[in-house]
Amino acid sequence: MANADTRTQILDSAEALFAERGYRGTSVRAITDGAGANLAAVGYHFGSKAELWAAVARRVIEPINAAQNAGLDRLLAQSSNPRVPELVEAFAGPLFDVTPQGDKGGARTSRLVMKILSDPADEARSWTGPTQDRVRDRYLAAFKRALPGISAQELGFRLRGLLAVTAVDRIDIDTQRHSTGDFPAQDDAVRRFAITFLAAAMSAPPTRS
């Protein structure tokens, strides 16, 4: 039990620090100090800092992936060709569910998602596995059916944009709350705004070279 508790404490400490400082800005010592563990604990439980990053990323992203898969399953059970707004809702909606307004953990999750998407460290881009690949490939195929005129490369860019825009919105909402003590709009309204905007962005004409 002590080992399991230490592992979880390291994950919690690393998640908070990675979300604020990114991969290179976070030292193993800072992580273990935050977890109340000795310096060797990261190597014992995870093998390396890079593998700890991967474990943190998967712990945050895999519940989102599960919800995205379930949402797509529901759509495909109704129609073999879901519409773009429905696909956008199924893909981006889970980020709203795990990052509600006023939730400190949700704001941290949004910051960590942004770090996962944008951190320049080579080690920070090697965390993905079969689960993430399957979700991406399923949505790319569904969007390709809905938007046949757009290349797979451009659809992949737009799909990453859905996550980035939603995460930035969640961070901005939290920042405004701390600045003004209030939210600019209710979460359900913000979600509708975002889905409308993102569906339009996904449906934009293909880029011409």
Side-chain angles (χ1 to χ4, degrees):
M1 180 63 72
N3 284 346
D5 288 344
T6 299
R7 187 179 191 279
T8 300
Q9 288 163 2
I10 292 171
L11 281 168
D12 291 343
S13 176
E15 181 176 320
L17 289 167
F18 284 145
E20 293 300 325
R21 305 177 188 177
Y23 181 83
R24 290 178 178 159
T26 301
S27 68
V28 171
R29 183 174 294 279
I31 292 168
T32 53
D33 285 350
N38 63 60
L39 196 59
V42 167
Y44 176 79
H45 288 284
F46 299 96
S48 67
K49 177 183 168 183
E51 290 174 26
L52 172 57
W53 167 276
V56 168
R58 288 175 185 145
R59 188 173 74 157
V60 169
I61 297 296
E62 284 182 353
I64 297 172
N65 289 157
Q68 289 169 328
N69 263 325
L72 185 54
D73 286 342
R74 286 192 295 271
L75 291 179
L76 293 175
Q78 299 166 5
S79 169
S80 59
N81 292 297
R83 297 180 301 112
V84 171
E86 296 170 332
L87 290 170
V88 168
E89 170 68 37
F91 186 78
L95 270 173
F96 285 91
D97 296 332
V98 301
T99 57
Q101 286 184 357
D103 182 81
K104 183 178 180 180
R108 185 174 68 192
T109 296
S110 296
R111 289 184 171 86
L112 185 57
V113 169
M114 284 302 301
K115 290 292 191 298
I116 291 168
L117 291 173
S118 63
D119 196 294
D122 290 340
E123 300 91 335
R125 294 194 294 274
S126 61
W127 68 273
T128 57
T131 299
Q132 291 73 40
D133 292 344
R134 174 170 166 74
V135 171
R136 181 200 62 211
D137 291 347
R138 292 188 73 205
Y139 272 93
L140 281 176
F143 276 115
K144 185 63 178 175
R145 290 192 297 271
L147 300 166
I150 300 175
S151 70
Q153 184 179 16
E154 185 161 1
L155 282 175
F157 174 85
R158 294 183 185 191
L159 202 62
R160 291 192 300 275
L162 297 187
L163 293 176
V165 169
T166 306
V168 167
D169 170 76
R170 301 286 82 194
I171 294 169
D172 186 56
I173 290 286
D174 186 65
T175 301
Q176 291 186 54
R177 180 178 69 86
H178 285 294
S179 299
T180 66
D182 200 3
F183 296 112
Q186 292 300 311
D187 224 6
D188 57 344
V190 173
R191 184 173 183 144
R192 292 195 304 272
F193 299 158
I195 299 305
T196 299
F197 170 77
L198 294 170
M202 284 298 295
S203 302
T207 302
R208 301 299 181 188
S209 57

